[in-house]
């Protein structure tokens, strides 16, 4: 955030600097960031740095087993980490500044339209090439999800609705996801959505949308 202006400047274009974007996430949003895997040039296509031929999330997953301990909210440390590996993906650990409610893309857009009609206050929302959307909410949603779904009339096991909390992460824009493209913002971080919604506010429309997609 630029001092005194209240304006957030977070580049999310595919060509934006991963280093500068990671630093701005730490500075502007106070999110912890950690460099993940990256894409390397192969014979015909780019391959994930992990070396797995059938990597499920090429270039968009942790690069080290202790990735959570490596995460930092310090801009100087973040800058150094991406200077060492400029092409590393940007991962945002969940369970710290936010949790994330994850749903299929089709259900996510249906829910998003419903939420906007309801004039719900929303936080940032990512859209990734694996066709998943992740809605940022206040931390602490993991333990509450089953009860919130039951209260909304849904059995947790019946819906493709997940919550990412402590020990999980969200790949952040403009991280590239194999040959599928880059992670994008369905709703960008802005000063207006700095204060995140409670999971209880978003579960009913998300559950309804997921139920429609069964």
């Amino acid at each position: 955030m630029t001092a005194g202006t209240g304006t957030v400047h977070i580049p999310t274009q595919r060509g934006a600097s991963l280093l500068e974007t990671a630093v701005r996430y730490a500075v502007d949003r106070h999110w912890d960031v950690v460099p993940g895997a990256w894409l390397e040039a192969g014979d015909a296509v780019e391959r994930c740095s992990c070396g797995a031929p059938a990597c499920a999330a090429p270039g968009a997953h942790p690069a080290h087993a202790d990735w959570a301990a490596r995460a930092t909210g310090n801009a100087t440390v973040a800058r150094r980490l991406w200077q060492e590996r400029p092409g590393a993906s940007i991962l945002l650990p969940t369970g710290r500044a936010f949790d994330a409610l994850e749903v299929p893309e089709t259900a996510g857009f249906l829910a998003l339209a419903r939420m906007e009609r309801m004039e719900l206050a929303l936080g940032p929302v990512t859209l990734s090439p694996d066709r998943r959307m992740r809605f940022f909410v206040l931390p602490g949603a993991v333990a509450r999800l089953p009860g919130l779904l039951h209260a909304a009339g849904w059995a947790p096991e019946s819906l493709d609705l997940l919550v990412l909390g402590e020990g999980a992460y969200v790949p952040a824009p403009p991280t590239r996801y194999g040959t599928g493209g880059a992670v994008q913002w369905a709703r960008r971080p802005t000063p207006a959505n700095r204060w995140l919604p409670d999971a209880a506010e978003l579960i009913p429309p998300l559950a309804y949308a997921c139920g429609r997609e069964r």
Side-chain angles (χ1 to χ4, degrees):
M1 177 179 294
T2 302
T5 67
T7 301
V8 174
H9 298 288
I10 298 180
T12 56
Q13 299 294 323
R14 178 169 174 170
S17 163
L18 289 160
L19 184 156
E20 292 301 329
T21 305
V23 169
R24 287 173 180 172
Y25 287 147
V27 172
D28 295 346
R29 301 298 291 203
H30 303 292
W31 291 339
D32 283 359
V33 295
V34 62
W38 56 93
L39 295 175
E40 298 178 332
D43 295 335
V45 297
E46 291 178 305
R47 303 179 186 278
C48 185
S49 61
C50 71
C55 178
H61 62 82
H64 304 278
D66 63 344
W67 64 270
R70 295 173 182 245
T72 181
N74 182 289
T76 301
V77 175
R79 184 174 295 278
R80 175 177 56 79
L81 291 173
W82 268 272
Q83 284 174 339
E84 294 172 356
R85 180 59 64 181
S89 56
I90 302 174
L91 306 181
L92 307 176
T94 49
R96 300 185 184 188
F98 62 88
D99 284 355
L101 301 174
E102 178 184 313
V103 297
E105 175 186 310
T106 50
F109 278 118
L110 177 62
L112 196 55
R114 188 177 179 87
M115 292 172 187
E116 289 173 345
R117 289 196 301 271
M118 296 168 66
E119 298 184 347
L120 294 181
L122 297 174
V125 181
T126 64
L127 170 63
S128 56
D130 61 352
R131 303 184 69 82
R132 306 289 289 183
M133 292 178 72
R134 297 168 179 96
F135 291 71
F136 290 21
V137 295
L138 290 171
V142 173
R144 300 171 59 205
L145 181 65
L148 290 172
L149 286 175
H150 280 301
W154 298 93
E157 64 276 7
S158 70
L159 300 177
D160 187 2
L161 196 168
L162 308 174
V163 59
L164 305 176
E166 185 176 358
Y169 61 89
V170 171
T175 292
R176 291 180 57 202
Y177 204 109
T179 58
V183 182
Q184 304 175 47
W185 289 113
R187 286 184 65 94
R188 296 169 60 89
T190 68
N193 63 26
R194 179 173 296 278
W195 304 108
L196 299 177
D198 188 275
E201 302 173 49
L202 305 193
I203 288 297
L206 284 172
Y208 171 81
C210 289
R212 285 278 302 271
E213 294 299 313
R214 286 186 302 176

